[in-house]
């Protein structure tokens, strides 16, 4: 059976199967990828929307299903390092060190691309993002396909990234033939994107591989200035993804930063003021803080920063489900994985951060 050949951008007529990962479902996924179709699949970071990375038509379908701007390139996923030399022109020393230290794992390296990578994947750039995921099911799917898999996060463009198969279904039902359900993602924020084309690698998007971890391996680290600030007019985005509004819930989202007691007091005051105006308000914060019965969505414990990473996207989706119109968020500490959490939260709030 051929699915979706004639599918138009806004048609949602395809039947979407949601299958638990198993030998059979992964084999089916591999076959669909080979036939040029799209498959939603788990990784350790977020769910991906995969297609054969070497098939320009299949890759074009990803952009249609997501509603993604054409100039935002895709990451190419491999199942083992041996697959990489065919996809890139060079692997600089620093990149090699990062590969040895952090792969398989939540890191994407930007490298000079080989000619076999279609323009649709690289969005016209001379580089390609390569990622070797640690999730065994993700690697099994790539191996079953027998081809590298180009995959963005499996959300509709602008929505929070999916960290469960159910989130993928919410966004992709009727648009893709298959979603593989491997349970909730472990890391919960997307991979660290590191530009490794130059002598000094630069973190373009923070993620599970933190600046501290990179520094331990290379002795130094650079983080792009736009990780914690919006692009201004005239600024050049080293990573096209920086340009776009991302992860945004429908609620007006504001972040409060400062000493915890100030943050809690400021959030309570704003909550009461907005509620009195008829807004539907929710607080995103850490379990240690007491909001006296006001609507609260937990980002976990301050003692375990990885919980905020694992929960943030689900929390942003919950705001939409509940119909909240205002979201008040506690800033988290930006060390370690906290930088990735603040980057995503910052973008959800269009970097509306109040220091209190
Ligand atoms: O964890 C992840 O990376 C997930 C899973 C599915 O692997 N994928 C993911 O893909 O987050 P996506 O498309 O949602 O985000 C890819 C980011 C975008 O911001 C894009 O602009 C950037 O990586 N990117 C991709 N190729 C690039 C390149 N050649 N140069 C600079 N930035 C690139
Ligand atoms: Mg994405």
């Amino acid at each position: 059976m051929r699915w979706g050949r004639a599918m138009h951008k806004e048609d949602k007529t395809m039947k979407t199967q949601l299958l638990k990962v198993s030998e059979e479902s992964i084999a089916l996924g591999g076959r669909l990828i080979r036939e040029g179709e799209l498959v939603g699949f788990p990784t350790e970071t977020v769910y991906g929307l995969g297609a054969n990375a070497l098939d320009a038509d299949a890759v074009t379908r990803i952009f249609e299903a997501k509603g993604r701007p054409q100039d935002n390139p895709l990451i190419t996923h491999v199942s083992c390092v041996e697959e990489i030399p065919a996809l890139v022109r060079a692997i600089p020393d620093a990149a090699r060190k990062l590969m040895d230290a952090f792969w398989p794992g939540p890191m994407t390296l930007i490298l000079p691309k080989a000619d076999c990578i279609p323009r649709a994947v690289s969005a016209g750039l001379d580089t390609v993002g390569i990622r070797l995921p640690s999730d065994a099911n993700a690697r099994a799917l790539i191996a079953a396909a027998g081809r590298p898999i180009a995959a963005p996060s499996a959300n509709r463009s602008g929505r929070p990234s999916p960290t469960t198969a159910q989130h993928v279904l919410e966004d992709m039902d009727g648009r893709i033939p298959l979603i593989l359900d491997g349970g909730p993602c472990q890391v919960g924020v997307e991979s660290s994107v590191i530009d490794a084309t130059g002598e000094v690698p630069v973190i373009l998007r923070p993620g599970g591989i933190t600046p501290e971890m990179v520094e331990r391996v290379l002795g130094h680290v650079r983080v792009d200035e736009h990780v914690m600030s919006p692009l201004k007019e005239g600024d050049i985005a080293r990573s096209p993804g920086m340009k776009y509004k991302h992860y945004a819930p429908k609620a007006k989202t504001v972040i409060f930063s400062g000493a915890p007691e100030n943050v809690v007091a400021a959030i309570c005051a704003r909550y009461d003021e907005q509620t009195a105006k008829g807004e539907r308000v929710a607080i995103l914060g850490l379990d240690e803080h007491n909001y006296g019965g006001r609507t609260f969505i937990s980002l976990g414990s301050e003692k375990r920063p990885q919980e905020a990473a694992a929960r943030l996207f689900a929390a942003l989706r919950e705001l939409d489900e509940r119909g909240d119109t205002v979201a008040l968020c506690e800033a988290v500490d930006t060390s370690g994985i906290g930088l990735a959490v603040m980057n995503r939260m910052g973008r959800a709030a269009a970097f509306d951060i109040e220091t209190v």
Side-chain angles (χ1 to χ4, degrees):
M1 176 172 172
R2 305 287 284 174
W3 276 283
R5 280 288 168 217
M7 195 175 81
H8 183 265
K9 247 184 207 164
E10 287 307 321
D11 274 359
K12 293 202 265 176
T13 51
M14 194 184 281
K15 175 156 172 26
T16 300
Q17 283 197 84
L18 179 66
L19 299 178
K20 289 239 176 312
V21 283
S22 66
E23 232 172 89
E24 296 77 45
S25 64
I26 284 178
L28 172 63
R31 182 160 63 75
L32 286 168
I33 299 271
R34 276 198 304 281
E35 288 175 355
E37 303 298 346
L38 306 186
V39 175
F41 67 101
T43 83
E44 70 277 22
T45 57
V46 301
Y47 274 73
L49 180 63
N52 177 357
L54 304 179
D55 175 346
D57 289 342
V59 169
T60 302
R61 231 165 273 139
I62 292 180
F63 287 84
E64 288 174 5
K66 274 188 67 106
R68 181 179 175 106
Q70 296 284 346
D71 68 345
N72 197 2
L74 304 177
I75 294 169
T76 298
H77 298 68
V78 295
S79 71
C80 61
V81 280
E82 287 72 26
E83 291 166 17
I84 297 172
L87 306 175
V88 303
R89 294 198 306 279
I91 303 178
D93 281 348
R96 176 91 48 196
K97 285 188 186 139
L98 293 174
M99 288 164 61
D100 291 345
F102 301 123
W103 271 351
M107 174 180 76
T108 296
L109 291 178
I110 306 298
L111 295 166
K113 84 173 193 76
D115 289 342
C116 65
I117 301 285
R119 227 186 127 75
V121 170
S122 60
L125 298 175
D126 191 34
T127 54
V128 61
I130 304 281
R131 172 155 129 74
L132 174 55
S134 59
D135 185 286
N137 294 318
R139 280 185 294 156
L141 176 70
I142 303 162
R147 293 149 178 62
I149 293 185
S153 49
N155 50 287
R156 291 274 296 161
S157 209
R159 292 259 295 150
S161 296
T163 52
T164 66
Q166 194 56 40
H167 294 161
V168 181
L169 189 66
E170 278 167 27
D171 283 18
M172 292 297 156
D173 194 16
R175 296 174 186 276
I176 63 176
L178 176 64
I179 299 167
L180 295 173
D181 183 354
C185 300
Q186 226 189 324
V187 179
V189 289
E190 307 89 334
S191 62
S192 307
V193 175
I194 305 181
D195 182 341
T197 54
E199 259 169 54
V200 180
V202 183
I203 299 182
L204 303 181
R205 180 177 74 179
I209 302 304
T210 66
E212 292 87 339
M213 291 161 79
V214 171
E215 187 167 24
R216 251 174 266 140
V217 170
L218 297 181
H220 50 77
V221 64
R222 271 185 58 201
V223 179
D224 191 275
E225 57 174 321
H226 294 112
V227 161
M228 278 314 295
S229 66
L231 279 177
K232 293 182 293 297
E233 226 180 290
D235 285 357
I236 292 171
R238 290 189 61 161
S239 180
M242 290 170 173
K243 282 190 301 204
Y244 298 105
K245 188 171 171 179
H246 246 270
Y247 320 118
K250 293 189 190 81
K252 175 169 170 35
T253 304
V254 186
I255 299 172
F256 293 78
S257 169
E261 58 278 16
N262 295 351
V263 167
V264 172
I267 288 182
C268 287
R270 183 70 55 86
Y271 184 104
D272 295 344
E273 173 203 302
Q274 293 292 311
T275 306
K277 283 187 187 159
E279 301 289 349
R280 205 186 141 107
V281 192
I283 298 166
L284 266 60
L286 298 170
D287 290 341
E288 283 79 1
H289 302 149
N290 181 359
Y291 287 98
R294 293 172 179 83
T295 304
F296 178 79
I297 302 175
S298 168
L299 294 179
S301 168
E302 65 187 1
K303 295 192 199 78
R304 293 180 295 277
Q306 71 277 12
E307 287 181 357
R311 293 183 187 193
L312 179 67
F313 286 137
L316 293 173
R317 280 179 180 256
E318 195 178 327
L319 294 169
D320 280 353
E321 266 158 43
R322 297 167 25 84
D324 291 320
T325 56
V326 174
L328 307 174
C329 309
E330 287 179 16
V332 301
D333 180 16
T334 54
S335 60
I337 187 90
L339 184 65
V341 174
M342 281 309 291
N343 166 264
R344 308 313 190 272
M345 197 191 274
R347 300 191 63 185
F351 292 101
D352 187 350
I353 303 178
E354 294 187 18
T355 305
V356 293

